[in-house]
Every structure is written in C-alpha cells, then in structure tokens.
Amino acid sequence: MGHSHLPTAGEPTRAALAARRRANRLLAWILVPLGLLAVTGMLLLWPDGQAQEINVADPYATADGVSIDTGSVQRVSVEDCPSSATLTQAGVQAPQCQVAYTLPSGGGAAVPVEVPPEVAKTNAIEAGDTVRYLNLENVMVDSGAPPYIFMDFVRSVPIAVLAVLYAAVVIAVARWRGLRALIGLGGAYAVLAGFILPGLVEGKPPLLLGLVGSSVIMIGVLYFAHGFSARTSTALLGTLFGLAITAGLAAWATDAAHLIGVDNENAYTLINASDQLSISGIILCGLIISGLGVLNDVTITQSSAVWEMYELAPGASAKRLFSGAMRVGRDHIASTVYTIAFAYAGAALPVLILVSLYDRTVLESLTGGELAEEVIRTLVGSIGLVLAIPVTTAVAVLVVKAVGSPRSGETAAQDAEDAGGEDAVSAAAPAGPGQGIDPTTGAQPGLRERAALRGRPARE
C-alpha cells in the first residue's frame, strides 16, 4: 500500500512553510544587524575607568572621631534640647525639642538622640523604629552641641518585605516567565549601573549612550523573558522603532527647550563638581531611558494581541487583524498616556505643590524650569510609544500571516509554560492526523478542548 504525500489535517503546506521561512529570515536580516550594531556600539563606548576626579560633597562622610550609628528607639519625649545644656547651666530657659531615646545596636545604654524640628513636625518617630544617628560624643564633649543627632530612618526591613512580596506575586501569577522577567530586570540595572552611568561620568556622547544602552537592555529582556519567537521579534522591532523616535525627539527637545538642569538641586551639585559632566546630556539620556518600560509594555501587548486574534480567527484577512488589534491598541494608548502622566505627577508632587503656590499663570508654571523637564519627558515618551503601536501591529500582522498556523507551536508552547504539568505537555504536543481537528476550520483544539477530549477538567 503506497504512502500518501498529501499534507494531513492541521499540517502547514509547502507554501506555508516557505512563507514562514521567508518571514523568519526577514526578521533575522533586520534584527541581527541591529543587535550586532548595538553590541559593537556598547563595546566602543564602554567606560575605560579613566574619568577625571570628580569631587562631590558626601553627606554621609564623617570627620575623625565621628561615627554614624544605628539603634532602636525606646521612647520619644519632648524636653529641653540636649544642645542647649550650656543655656540651662547659665540659668536661661532652654528651647524644647523632640528627643528619641535610642538603644544602640552595638550595645550599651539608651542615648538621647535630638530630632531636628523638620522631622519632629511630622511626628514620624515612634518607639520601635530603627534609626541612624550621628554620634558626636568623642568630639563635642564641652562645646554644648548635642552629642547624638538624628540622621535618617533605617528602611531595610519594609523595603525587603515589599521586594519579596513583589517577586512572589510576579512569580505566582506569571510563573517561569515572571521569574525570567525579574532576572532580566536585574540585568537591565546592571547595564545601567555598569555602562550608562559611568559613560555619562566620563563624558561619552549621551545620545549614543542612551540609545545603545536602551537597545541592549530591550534585546536582552525581551528575548530572555518571552523567548526566541517571531512574536517576540515583532515586539522588539516595534520597540526599537519607538526607541529611535523617542531618542530623536529627546535630542531635539533638550536643545530647543534649553533643559540645562539648573533648577534641580542634584543637577546643580553635579554642575559645580566637574566641567566634564554635561547636565543637558544627562537629561537627554534620562528622557530616553524613562520610556523603556511602557514602550516594552505596549509593543509586546500589541504583538500578543495580533497572535491571539489570529489563533481565534485564522481565516481573518490582514486588514481585519490590523483593525482589530488597533482597537486594542487605541484603548492601550488612552490608558498608557494616563499612566505616564500620573507617574511623573506623583514623583514630582512636592514640586507641583510648591509651583502651585507661586503667583504665576498655568502656562508659566508648565514651561518654567521646575516642571519643563517632566512635561517634556511625558510628551516625548508618549509620542514614541503611540507611534510604536501601529508599527508593531502592522509588522505583527504581516509576520503572523506568513508564520502563523492554527494552534502554532509557538502558542502551544506558551500554553504549556503557563499551565505546567501533564496537560501542558499534551497541549504543546502537535495533534496527530485528524486527532481533535475542527472539521469546519481545520484548527487544532486549545488546552481546554484537549482536556475535554481526554475526559479530564481543563486546568485554569
């Protein structure tokens, strides 16, 4: 009995396989050179560690005999200021201060830590708090100054709790992909701390630093978190497009709006610390980096939306897929614009309150040095991500029509990863000839349908 060479139900035809190879080859032809260019740029711009000496006043530096200690607050009271001991001895009434009696972590009796008025006004210090204070007992014995001065709270425990909770929630919901995303986030911060920041200190071109560093970050985190697939490559292509638009707009806006950073205290400190540092360049680089997360969000969402729509309606035309995905994209644009604006507003809330108290018009306030950088950051980032959505959608439609097939291996593998276990393995495995094929569409069933065929409940 002869063997049939006709394609079985659910298997791609030779023409479909050829189209798939062409689409993957085209994506590789575009992304591989871009990736090599980013890595080459990173190697050429890599900091050599020969930056000139930059002297910045360290607020945590101490003189000889002075130490910064930590301790646990036992009780808080309002009494004569310890710094006014000489006034009390002279018969003058001493001013009242908030004093936190703190048990040193290194052992010993509780010491009276004088709390500055601006901190005392908040009533934030309570018994049980762990604080950091300046110990002057070896240098201020007879000067009348307080030997113990409050510096800051020790926030290690609450931050560690939130970090662990955040990681647990991400991994519980997103599973292995969430774990990879967290690891990728660590890699992104490594690029930022090891490449971009030292490069800015050494006076490397800020536009290239921001563009190259951001590209390397996006290439790494996208493929690491989502895997190597046409879907991820499509999202990466849209991300790089949006990144290029953002970088171009940021370069123009920084120069046209004269963002020089003199209204920021930290930037002003850097200006006086070294002539080599370009504050405008630092601002430019910051404008590029600030939109990375949201840009990645919208592009991967659009790419996934196109793939999921195609899985539901594999016979849909390219025009219908694009219009359907753009409806999702338009909703995403509306919510994302709010996200960016309110994120920056929340970070700059004290500045907003201060500016609102000035006797200035709204236009003068928005274009003044205090808010101009945040306004431009919002506008530049929003324009880049909005333009990235239709580009990512169009590329995803073209690729999915060439690469995708009903219940493609890529989607089944993602079902397997999200579900886990025996059912997941079955979901990822290709169906045999005629096994569970929808007779009307030729599509293989999804995870829920396959579980039903085996007589067991689908795993949610």
Side-chain angles (χ1 to χ4, degrees):
M1 184 175 179
H3 296 283
S4 173
H5 295 282
L6 293 175
T8 58
E11 291 184 358
T13 63
R14 289 185 178 180
L17 289 173
R20 181 182 303 182
R21 286 193 294 268
R22 286 195 300 270
N24 284 326
R25 194 179 301 121
L26 179 60
L27 286 172
W29 283 347
I30 296 174
L31 291 174
V32 169
L34 290 177
L36 292 176
L37 186 62
V39 173
T40 302
M42 191 175 190
L43 293 175
L44 294 175
L45 294 171
W46 193 265
D48 52 20
Q50 297 180 357
Q52 68 176 24
E53 188 67 24
I54 299 178
N55 296 317
V56 178
D58 185 0
Y60 299 100
T62 59
D64 293 338
V66 179
S67 62
I68 299 177
D69 299 337
T70 60
S72 176
V73 176
Q74 303 300 298
R75 62 184 179 89
V76 180
S77 63
V78 177
E79 55 189 59
D80 292 346
C81 298
S83 57
S84 304
T86 53
L87 296 177
T88 304
Q89 295 171 1
V92 179
Q93 184 176 0
Q96 298 291 291
C97 292
Q98 187 179 71
V99 178
Y101 285 86
T102 305
L103 191 65
S105 300
V111 296
V113 177
E114 184 170 325
V115 181
E118 61 273 15
V119 178
K121 188 180 297 185
T122 64
N123 293 319
I125 300 182
E126 299 175 347
D129 291 340
T130 303
V131 297
R132 186 177 289 109
Y133 60 92
L134 200 62
N135 187 343
L136 304 170
E137 63 180 3
N138 295 325
V139 295
M140 297 292 186
V141 178
D142 300 322
S143 64
Y148 309 101
I149 304 175
F150 173 87
M151 286 189 63
D152 199 2
F153 292 94
V154 176
R155 304 179 179 89
S156 305
V157 172
I159 291 179
V161 170
L162 286 175
V164 171
L165 180 61
Y166 169 69
V169 169
V170 169
I171 294 174
V173 176
R175 303 187 182 181
W176 286 110
R177 191 172 303 176
L179 177 60
R180 293 200 302 267
L182 292 175
I183 298 174
L185 181 62
Y189 278 117
V191 173
L192 181 64
F195 172 66
I196 297 178
L197 296 184
L200 290 172
V201 172
E202 292 184 8
K204 305 285 185 180
L207 178 61
L208 291 179
L209 274 177
L211 195 55
V212 169
S214 298
S215 299
V216 171
I217 289 174
M218 286 293 98
I219 292 172
V221 299
L222 272 172
Y223 281 127
F224 188 76
H226 302 281
F228 289 91
S229 65
R231 183 191 308 219
T232 307
S233 298
T234 301
L236 177 59
L237 198 58
T239 300
L240 295 179
F241 172 81
L243 190 59
I245 295 295
T246 301
L249 286 174
W252 174 82
T254 303
D255 180 64
H258 304 290
L259 299 181
I260 55 178
V262 295
D263 297 287
N264 184 290
E265 182 180 352
N266 295 326
Y268 190 75
T269 300
L270 292 175
I271 291 175
N272 294 324
S274 172
D275 295 332
Q276 181 175 324
L277 289 173
S278 169
I279 303 303
S280 295
I282 294 175
I283 294 174
L284 165 60
C285 195
L287 292 177
I288 299 173
I289 296 173
S290 62
L292 282 184
V294 181
L295 186 59
N296 173 35
D297 175 28
V298 297
T299 55
I300 198 68
T301 299
Q302 284 305 110
S303 181
S304 296
V306 171
W307 250 265
E308 294 301 328
M309 288 180 180
Y310 182 75
E311 294 295 341
L312 292 174
S317 64
K319 181 179 180 181
R320 184 173 180 181
L321 283 175
F322 180 82
S323 61
M326 279 305 299
R327 282 195 291 271
V328 177
R330 281 187 283 270
D331 290 338
H332 207 172
I333 287 173
S335 61
T336 304
V337 167
Y338 293 138
T339 300
I340 295 178
F342 290 134
Y344 292 147
L349 201 57
V351 178
L352 290 175
I353 295 175
L354 186 62
V355 170
S356 68
L357 298 176
Y358 295 154
D359 187 16
R360 304 171 70 184
T361 65
V362 174
L363 182 61
E364 289 175 338
S365 298
L366 291 177
T367 58
E370 300 88 352
L371 293 179
E373 182 180 337
E374 299 301 330
V375 171
I376 291 176
R377 193 190 314 276
T378 302
L379 296 176
V380 167
S382 299
I383 293 172
L385 74 90
V386 168
L387 292 179
I389 286 179
V391 171
T392 304
T393 305
V395 174
V397 169
L398 294 176
V399 173
V400 76
K401 294 296 287 184
V403 176
S405 60
R407 295 305 303 166
S408 63
E410 176 183 332
T411 303
Q414 289 182 355
D415 286 344
E417 179 182 347
D418 292 339
E422 180 183 351
D423 288 345
V425 176
S426 301
Q435 178 183 351
I437 302 299
D438 189 328
T440 59
T441 65
Q444 299 176 15
L447 179 64
R448 188 184 305 275
E449 290 82 3
R450 292 190 185 186
L453 287 173
R454 290 192 301 273
R456 64 181 66 176
R459 183 174 300 181
E460 296 295 339

